[in-house]
């Protein structure tokens, strides 16, 4: 794994992420609503989907998005190295980061974006390692069933979008083996548990999005396990 590869992946991740604030702002609406046409902060027209940088001309912090995209790209390059899988995973990080942004805005994980992440990762993995398809599907199935049952319990704060994303990510990590699946499941709970406790101690308890933690957990699992 060369430094040049990591830098190129970081540049790809950062520059694609620079386009996402506008898309996330428009898609960050309640289920069934059509995409937002005006800025939620200033009411200005949000015509078009393609804009580099902040979602709107009104002041809105956005530097974190390209930085996160660059970090995700670099982590993928470090974990996968010069593999034919890397371009697919870098592409999958684009809908992945968009999912995190939308979930933070409105606690939703649109199915089509979850499917895009799944297709861009699971299909190339299945082509690369056919013998691992079985264990990967078992990992995805186990997570789908257990998280699905937890989501059906009242008041658990786990949405069906979280269940589907967790199952997709567990399938991806299943190709790397059970240690990766477990890291990918434990890290998100540690992250959201810590944030929830902090908010509780500050008496600012509120529903937390789980998607960003799931996606970050999968990245950590790919890099470490
Ligand atoms: Zn605005």
């Amino acid at each position: 794994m060369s430094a040049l590869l990591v830098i190129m992946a970081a540049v790809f991740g950062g520059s694609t992420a620079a386009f996402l604030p506008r898309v996330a702002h428009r898609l960050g609406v309640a289920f069934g609503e059509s995409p937002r046409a005006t800025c939620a902060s200033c009411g200005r027209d949000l015509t078009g989907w393609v804009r580099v940088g902040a979602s709107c001309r009104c002041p809105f912090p956005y530097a974190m998005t390209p930085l996160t995209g660059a970090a995700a790209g670099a982590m993928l390059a470090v974990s996968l190295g010069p593999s034919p899988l890397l371009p697919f995973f870098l592409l999958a990080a684009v809908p992945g980061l968009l999912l995190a942004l939308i979930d933070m805005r409105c606690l939703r994980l649109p199915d089509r974006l979850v499917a895009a992440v799944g297709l861009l990762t699971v299909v190339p993995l299945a082509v690369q390692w056919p013998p691992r398809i079985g264990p990967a599907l078992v990992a995805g199935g186990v997570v789908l069933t257990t998280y699905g049952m937890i989501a059906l319990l009242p008041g658990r704060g786990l949405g069906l979008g979280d269940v589907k994303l967790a199952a997709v990510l567990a399938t991806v990590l299943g190709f790397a083996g059970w240690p990766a699946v477990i890291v990918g499941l434990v890290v998100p709970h540690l992250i959201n548990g810590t944030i929830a406790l902090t908010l509780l101690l500050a008496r600012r308890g509120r529903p937390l999005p789980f998607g960003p933690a799931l996606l970050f957990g999968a990245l950590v699992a790919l890099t470490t396990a």
Side-chain angles (χ1 to χ4, degrees):
M1 185 261 304
S2 69
L4 183 64
L5 186 72
V6 177
I7 291 166
M8 279 166 57
V11 168
F12 177 85
S15 50
T16 48
F19 288 89
L20 295 182
R22 167 63 68 97
V23 182
H25 194 131
R26 295 203 60 188
L27 291 181
V29 291
F31 182 76
E33 279 181 25
S34 40
R36 197 188 295 282
T38 54
C39 175
S41 312
C42 72
R44 217 182 246 122
D45 252 15
L46 293 185
T47 38
W49 292 92
V50 183
R51 187 177 203 276
V52 178
S55 60
C56 177
R57 269 182 294 161
C58 69
F60 192 81
Y62 71 92
M64 277 308 287
T65 308
L67 289 178
T68 310
M75 281 174 83
L76 287 171
V78 169
S79 63
L80 296 171
S83 148
L85 293 171
L86 182 60
F88 292 99
F89 275 68
L90 288 174
L91 281 177
V94 179
L97 184 53
L98 187 54
L99 277 169
L101 292 171
I102 293 173
D103 202 17
M104 286 195 283
R105 280 188 159 272
C106 64
L107 300 176
R108 277 189 59 230
L109 294 165
D111 281 345
R112 272 180 267 188
L113 292 173
V114 176
V117 172
L119 286 175
L120 284 166
T121 49
V122 174
V123 173
L125 280 167
V127 172
Q128 180 96 336
W129 289 318
R132 301 289 307 163
I133 294 174
L137 290 178
V138 170
V142 167
V143 169
L144 184 70
T145 323
T146 44
Y147 274 37
M149 287 194 295
I150 295 171
L152 292 178
L153 297 174
R156 294 313 299 256
L158 194 67
L160 287 180
D162 299 321
V163 175
K164 288 178 249 183
L165 181 62
V168 164
L169 296 176
T171 310
V172 173
L173 296 175
F175 280 92
W178 284 103
V181 177
I182 290 163
V183 171
L185 288 177
V186 169
V187 169
H189 288 284
L190 289 178
I191 294 172
N192 265 35
T194 310
I195 298 174
L197 191 66
T198 313
L199 288 174
L200 201 67
L201 291 175
R203 298 179 182 281
R204 289 169 58 191
R206 58 183 173 84
L208 280 181
F210 196 42
L214 281 172
L215 289 156
F216 181 72
L219 259 182
V220 171
L222 276 178
T223 315
T224 58

